[in-house]
Amino acid sequence: MSDTREYLAEGPRVGIRPFTHDDAAEFTARARESRKLHRPWLFPPTTPGEYAAYAGRLIEDPTRAGFLVCEKETGAIAGYININNIVRGGFQSGALGYGAFAHAAGRGLMTEALNLVVRYAFGPLGLHRLEVNAQPRNTASIALARRCGFRLEGFSPDMIFVDGAWRDHERWAITAEMVRT
């Protein structure tokens, strides 16, 4: 289990904190345990080497921000939420990617965590817009976006290369104004 480092934001059951290189063993073990849940949508790192590269990008690249979702009671990693492709200037936007680990799926922890990340992104990170791109058959991902107030904005055929092919995606988005109202 991870230690309970200071969280960037906390809800009743979860806290979000940045990725660290020290999280490799727990993260990769949880990813391996969750393969059936994640496929064919997600391919998180399952080896220490893959994790080092993945976490390194999230830690060092200013166009990314990675958050581990941790259960407050135990400190255990329940999932992760990343903001990728952060564009500053007049855009102030980023694209979200996320995944729950099998032991935490279906417990509402990711809903709580995504709401925390959205508020953090629109507060301390200074972003204005977040997008979720989900394959139309990924009903769990779409349901999470909907529960957190994202609106469906469109459909993009052959948008993202996933699991060996270009996949269609629905585009969901939320803006800072939608959260404040």
Side-chain angles (χ1 to χ4, degrees):
M1 304 269 169
S2 297
D3 62 37
T4 54
R5 295 178 191 115
E6 188 173 329
Y7 295 121
L8 298 169
E10 294 181 56
R13 298 181 299 150
V14 301
I16 57 169
R17 66 175 177 81
F19 277 71
T20 72
H21 290 289
D22 293 338
D23 295 305
E26 182 181 0
F27 188 99
T28 57
R30 301 252 185 233
R32 287 188 303 273
E33 293 165 0
S34 303
R35 276 191 175 126
K36 286 183 182 178
L37 173 67
H38 290 158
R39 299 298 191 266
W41 321 115
L42 298 174
F43 299 84
T46 57
T47 68
E50 290 172 351
Y51 180 86
Y54 179 80
R57 288 188 300 271
L58 292 167
I59 293 166
E60 298 164 16
D61 184 344
T63 67
R64 299 172 191 253
F67 305 92
L68 292 173
V69 176
C70 300
E71 295 183 65
K72 286 173 52 178
E73 189 173 305
T74 63
I77 298 173
Y80 58 96
I81 302 171
N82 301 327
I83 307 174
N84 300 297
N85 306 321
I86 296 172
V87 179
R88 296 295 183 174
F91 206 46
Q92 297 298 338
S93 182
L96 289 170
Y98 46 73
F101 289 125
H103 76 282
R107 295 173 42 205
L109 301 177
M110 291 300 290
T111 301
E112 187 177 317
L114 184 54
N115 283 321
L116 292 172
V117 169
V118 166
R119 284 175 178 72
Y120 189 81
F122 294 155
L125 290 183
L127 296 179
H128 174 259
R129 176 184 173 83
L130 294 170
E131 295 183 9
V132 170
N133 296 296
Q135 292 180 53
R137 293 185 316 165
N138 189 345
T139 56
S141 181
I142 290 169
L144 176 58
R146 185 179 285 122
R147 276 194 307 276
C148 291
F150 286 71
R151 66 180 172 224
L152 177 62
E153 291 192 336
F155 176 82
S156 297
D158 301 330
M159 182 181 186
I160 302 173
F161 195 77
V162 179
D163 195 23
W166 290 99
R167 308 289 180 184
D168 300 343
H169 282 71
E170 290 183 4
R171 295 185 326 278
W172 293 77
I174 193 167
T175 64
E177 290 79 12
M178 292 168 65
V179 172
R180 291 185 190 124
T181 58

